[in-house]
Amino acid sequence: MNDTPGWASPGSAPSEGQGADVPRPSEPVDGSGPAGNWSPTQPPAGQWSPPSAPGTGPGAPPPTVGWGRGPQGPGWGQPPLAAKPGVIPLRPLGVGEILDGAVSTMRAHWRTVLGITLAVSVIAQVAIILVERFLLPKPPQVDPNATGAEALRQAADSAQSAVFNSVPSMLITMIATLITTSVLTVVISRSVLGRPVTISDAWAEARPRLPQLLGLTLLLALISAAIMALGLLPGMLIGSAAGTGLVLVGFMGAVVVVIWLMVRFSLAPPALMLERQSITTSMRRSAKLVRGAWWRTFGVLALTWLLTFIVALIVAIPFGVVAMAVDGEGIGSALTSGDADFGWPFLIVSGIGEVIIATITYPLSAGVMALLYIDQRIRREALDLELARAAGLPGYDTGS
């Protein structure tokens, strides 16, 4: 990155224009251990006092030296306060600090964040409305009085039409998510250092990585689809009642495997963007960072998903009610004949609600993902030292 710290993985060579002068995690002083896990310029060790009176015993260090400085009473000394040049303290983060860092980035860089998310959301929603209104075929009518085979056929036709009609909107949403995630990841990386960033700077830095990010997203989607197909195929081939039970078991097993893999590779997008790695290398980096912390990563991602779902629900309900109120004819036809032919008022009002939802949830999701990646690198690779150097904090210069 141009003026951000060396995000390259420990021991890796510069890639895609990263020069050798960019700081990166160093090898241990004694040359032992895995390369790049620790920096030779560690802060002084904290002076933790035992439960007895502090400063007693042979060789007790002075209480005012190192991290343990300051008045200490009986009991354990207070932990050091980490430096905080930007939106997070440079130390391992708690779940609340990750969420707070994402929100703080939205507040500190609200012009950049709002400009990116609002522009992308409006364009994406306009495209979705136009596609749904002019390009997609109308859903088949359903006869509420149909029974037996006819009812099953109509249900199958409706399900097939719904899946087909949802594909364009899913593709547009995926592209919008890719753009916002890539640009907001750059914004997060600057906000951690307390540095300003403009929309043009973030876009110029993120644009070259968009094809790789698209390839990563498609690859993960194909892996998930293949796993789901393998789980459902045996039961579908058998048929009968036993096949139905096997389909259910296969579906549940496939869902578990997909969730496990998606959490394992959840840090691949920020690794790809910040480390400028290839698709496969970023997936390996994510697997390495998540190893031993799968449940914690899953918990943070699940909590983020729950928060975004609640926000989306809070915004969607009133806009949905207003949309139905201003387009009574479309709702009436949907209830009487099953033909949901919604007019422009419904599409416009509901589209405004979707824009507001995306403007709020995109930065939150992207921020949590990037900060979770930074947190894991701080825990495993002492990235906090490199961030402190890049932020220009005293005592962390490369020459010390």
Side-chain angles (χ1 to χ4, degrees):
M1 302 175 70
N2 299 331
D3 58 347
T4 49
W7 296 98
S9 58
S12 65
S15 62
E16 297 191 19
Q18 283 186 315
D21 57 337
V22 177
R24 61 188 72 254
S26 309
E27 295 186 0
V29 178
D30 57 359
S32 61
N37 284 345
W38 305 102
S39 171
T41 56
Q42 293 285 335
Q47 308 301 330
W48 301 99
S49 58
S52 58
T56 60
T64 59
V65 179
W67 284 0
R69 58 180 175 270
Q72 294 184 12
W76 298 102
Q78 297 297 321
L81 295 176
K84 188 179 179 181
V87 295
I88 59 169
L90 299 184
R91 56 168 170 76
L93 304 174
V95 177
E97 290 173 322
I98 292 176
L99 296 172
D100 179 72
V103 176
S104 298
T105 301
M106 297 169 62
R107 292 200 306 262
H109 303 278
W110 65 270
R111 290 184 179 87
T112 303
V113 173
L114 182 63
I116 294 168
T117 55
L118 186 59
V120 174
S121 301
V122 169
I123 295 174
Q125 196 58 41
V126 169
I128 290 175
I129 291 176
L130 295 178
V131 168
E132 291 179 349
R133 187 65 178 174
F134 296 110
L135 298 182
L136 295 180
K138 292 184 178 181
Q141 293 186 355
V142 177
D143 183 7
N145 299 322
T147 58
E150 180 63 21
L152 292 176
R153 185 190 64 79
Q154 292 183 6
D157 292 342
S158 298
Q160 183 179 0
S161 175
V163 171
F164 175 78
N165 291 344
S166 65
V167 170
S169 61
M170 289 177 59
L171 291 176
I172 295 173
T173 303
M174 183 187 70
I175 295 174
T177 304
L178 287 176
I179 295 175
T180 53
T181 299
S182 62
V183 179
L184 291 175
T185 300
V186 176
V187 175
I188 290 288
S189 68
R190 302 287 184 88
S191 65
V192 168
L193 302 176
R195 294 181 178 178
V197 57
T198 62
I199 296 178
S200 59
D201 293 338
W203 172 247
E205 197 165 321
R207 182 176 54 190
R209 307 300 298 167
L210 283 177
Q212 290 85 349
L213 188 60
L214 176 60
L216 173 64
T217 303
L218 293 177
L219 179 59
L220 294 178
L222 288 175
I223 292 175
S224 301
I227 293 174
M228 294 300 297
L230 289 176
L232 297 175
L233 188 59
M236 296 174 65
L237 293 177
I238 293 177
S240 70
T244 303
L246 187 59
V247 166
L248 180 60
V249 174
F251 174 77
M252 296 175 61
V255 168
V256 171
V257 175
V258 167
I259 292 176
W260 181 80
L261 282 178
M262 292 305 103
V263 173
R264 182 178 175 86
F265 297 136
S266 60
L267 302 184
L272 184 144
M273 291 298 304
L274 297 179
E275 298 180 19
R276 301 184 179 274
Q277 301 283 9
S278 64
I279 295 175
T280 55
T281 304
S282 63
M283 293 175 67
R284 287 196 296 267
R285 285 285 292 149
S286 177
K288 179 180 178 181
L289 292 173
V290 174
R291 186 181 304 128
W294 190 94
W295 282 107
R296 181 176 183 271
T297 305
F298 171 77
V300 174
L301 296 178
L303 179 60
T304 305
W305 178 86
L306 179 61
L307 291 176
T308 55
F309 175 77
I310 292 175
V311 170
L313 199 62
I314 292 174
V315 177
I317 289 177
F319 275 91
V321 172
V322 174
M324 289 187 292
V326 298
D327 190 15
E329 294 182 0
I331 299 300
S333 63
L335 295 176
T336 57
S337 62
D339 183 13
D341 187 15
F342 298 114
W344 282 108
F346 180 89
L347 295 176
I348 293 175
V349 173
S350 59
I352 294 174
E354 292 295 331
V355 168
I356 296 176
I357 291 172
T359 304
I360 298 174
T361 57
Y362 279 169
L364 180 62
S365 300
V368 168
M369 197 78 69
L371 291 177
L372 187 57
Y373 159 82
I374 294 173
D375 172 61
Q376 286 302 112
R377 288 200 61 181
I378 288 176
R379 293 173 182 270
R380 294 179 178 269
E381 301 166 0
L383 182 65
D384 50 332
L385 303 180
E386 303 297 340
L387 295 175
R389 292 193 190 101
L393 298 181
Y396 292 89
D397 58 286
T398 55
S400 60

